[in-house]
Amino acid sequence: MPATHRPGLRVDSGLTIPESELSWRFSRSSGPGGQSVNTADSRVELVWDVAGSAVLTPFQRERLLDRLGSRLVDGALTIAASEHRAQLRNREAARLRLADIVADALLPPAPPRKPTKPSRGAKQRRLEAKKRRTDVKRLRRPPHD
């Protein structure tokens, strides 16, 4: 993909990863073989070095390294795509997946949950429902003589 019409991978309004920071690897897709089947190098691996990226602010880098820690190998994020038969479509799929993963990781954390207590009426309704259920089960028992 020529860099002339693709200045970089746009993640969100504040972050665009330049093409120079993305590296590609190509290999054969897995699957059933046969005579001249799956001989094209259509599987794509897109690698982006998060730890060494020049476009990230220190805050963004810290958040990405923290949230994507389990997916990173030596500070690099690798995305594999092999769902399409054409290499070009797999490249697009890998680019979209990388942008989605990075955008999700950069989102601010959800606000902490405020602990709440059930109201007095809710407690009363719960206990009354339990009593009704107990009575139903008691009526199913064989009589004790």
Side-chain angles (χ1 to χ4, degrees), residues 9-17 48 55-56 60 64 102 106:
L9 177 60
R10 186 178 174 95
V11 175
D12 59 15
S13 60
L15 178 63
T16 301
I17 303 170
W48 179 48
V55 295
L56 295 173
Q60 288 174 329
L64 285 174
V102 172
L106 286 175

Side-chain angles (χ1 to χ4, degrees), residues 2 6 12 16 19 21 34-35 42 59 73 76 85 91 95 97 105 107 109-110 115 120 124 138:
R6 265 192 206 274
D12 59 15
T16 301
E19 290 290 328
E21 289 191 7
Q35 193 171 7
S42 61
F59 177 75
V73 177
R85 291 181 65 174
R91 287 174 75 135
R95 287 174 62 90
R97 208 172 298 153
L107 288 175
R120 185 187 312 178
Q124 193 173 358
R138 186 179 294 128

Side-chain angles (χ1 to χ4, degrees):
M1 297 188 186
T4 55
H5 72 282
R6 265 192 206 274
L9 177 60
R10 186 178 174 95
V11 175
D12 59 15
S13 60
L15 178 63
T16 301
I17 303 170
E19 290 290 328
S20 60
E21 289 191 7
L22 302 175
S23 62
W24 298 90
R25 285 193 301 241
F26 307 101
S27 61
R28 290 187 180 167
S29 291
S30 63
Q35 193 171 7
S36 301
V37 176
N38 292 330
T39 56
D41 289 342
S42 61
R43 182 177 186 271
V44 171
E45 283 186 17
L46 176 57
V47 181
W48 179 48
D49 185 15
V50 178
S53 179
V55 295
L56 295 173
T57 65
F59 177 75
Q60 288 174 329
R61 181 176 292 109
E62 183 180 331
R63 181 171 275 179
L64 285 174
L65 290 174
D66 181 47
R67 294 218 177 136
L68 299 175
S70 62
R71 294 189 68 148
L72 299 178
V73 177
D74 296 330
L77 178 63
T78 304
I79 305 294
S82 62
E83 58 265 18
H84 302 289
R85 291 181 65 174
Q87 186 188 97
L88 191 62
R89 290 181 68 192
N90 282 331
R91 287 174 75 135
E92 279 303 312
R95 287 174 62 90
L96 288 174
R97 208 172 298 153
L98 176 68
D100 288 344
I101 289 171
V102 172
D104 286 345
L106 286 175
L107 288 175
R113 180 189 167 275
K114 283 185 178 178
T116 58
K117 292 182 180 177
S119 66
R120 185 187 312 178
K123 287 181 187 175
Q124 193 173 358
R125 285 188 299 272
R126 182 180 65 88
L127 292 174
E128 287 171 4
K130 286 176 74 156
K131 280 181 188 172
R132 280 193 305 273
R133 190 75 187 143
T134 302
D135 292 340
V136 166
K137 290 191 171 195
R138 186 179 294 128
L139 289 172
R140 290 183 192 155
R141 289 186 197 156
H144 291 292
D145 289 330

